[in-house]
Amino acid sequence: MEDVRLLYVSKLKDCANPMNELFNILTEALNFNTPHKIYGALYYGNGYFVQCLEGEREKVEHLYFQKILKDPRHEECEVLFLENIDERMFSKWHMKYASYHKDVINFFMDKHKESFNPYLLTNETIPDFVDLLSRQPDSFYTLSHS
């Protein structure tokens, strides 16, 4: 089987409690990804999602096209990057939540002159961003207990 890494961005639809929706999305992701051996990380800030998914091509594409695109909480979904991989960068997490972090803000200010807008990522900046995302701490426990 061929493994891939997919990076997509979206916006969270307006809702009464964004943090509650974020927690629900992460919980659903963990419940789906674990038995399907999909790995990755989700970053949320300024109303934007950026998510990196890794796993077998068929399973990752099914997740994105059949679940994420159809999820009414996401809007303006866009795949920024899809590549075949030999090694996974997120193999420790079926879904890591990387919370709003100064390193990510600094990355966007340096590369894109804006605090955080993942739609600005380019083919030149995506590899460095994915690497930065892989090094962020997992904040799911913090989110689930707030």
Side-chain angles (χ1 to χ4, degrees):
M1 290 284 167
E2 181 179 77
D3 280 353
V4 296
R5 178 175 301 122
L6 181 146
L7 183 76
Y8 80 90
V9 296
S10 67
K11 292 181 180 177
L12 178 63
K13 238 181 203 167
D14 284 336
C15 62
N17 190 340
M19 295 315 286
N20 191 51
E21 289 301 331
L22 178 59
F23 179 75
N24 290 339
I25 288 169
L26 287 162
T27 302
E28 291 167 23
L30 281 168
N31 289 338
F32 182 85
N33 293 359
T34 302
H36 293 95
K37 297 180 181 158
I38 296 173
Y39 304 88
L42 177 72
Y43 188 90
Y44 176 76
N46 293 349
Y48 300 112
F49 290 112
V50 61
Q51 185 170 26
C52 189
L53 300 168
E54 295 177 336
E56 291 178 12
R57 177 181 290 277
E58 184 179 299
K59 292 177 181 180
V60 169
E61 288 181 350
H62 171 82
L63 172 59
Y64 179 75
F65 290 106
Q66 300 303 317
K67 295 186 83 48
I68 293 167
L69 279 180
K70 295 177 180 181
D71 187 328
R73 297 169 293 194
H74 292 276
E75 56 185 8
E76 298 181 38
C77 286
E78 184 178 325
V79 173
L80 295 184
F81 189 71
L82 177 64
E83 70 174 342
N84 294 332
I85 57 172
D86 294 322
E87 286 187 42
R88 295 180 180 161
M89 296 176 74
F90 298 94
S91 61
K92 293 179 184 173
W93 307 280
H94 286 288
M95 189 45 54
K96 171 171 76 168
Y97 169 59
S99 64
Y100 209 55
H101 194 275
K102 66 178 174 52
D103 290 346
V104 174
I105 293 166
N106 291 341
F107 175 90
F108 274 86
M109 290 303 292
D110 181 49
K111 306 286 186 190
H112 300 290
K113 310 300 182 225
E114 195 169 312
S115 66
F116 178 68
N117 179 346
Y119 289 94
L120 298 175
L121 289 166
T122 65
N123 286 339
E124 291 77 35
T125 60
I126 286 171
D128 289 339
F129 177 74
V130 171
D131 181 60
L132 177 62
L133 189 60
S134 74
R135 292 183 278 116
Q136 296 303 302
D138 186 359
S139 301
F140 182 73
Y141 180 82
T142 305
L143 178 68
S144 66
H145 288 85
S146 54

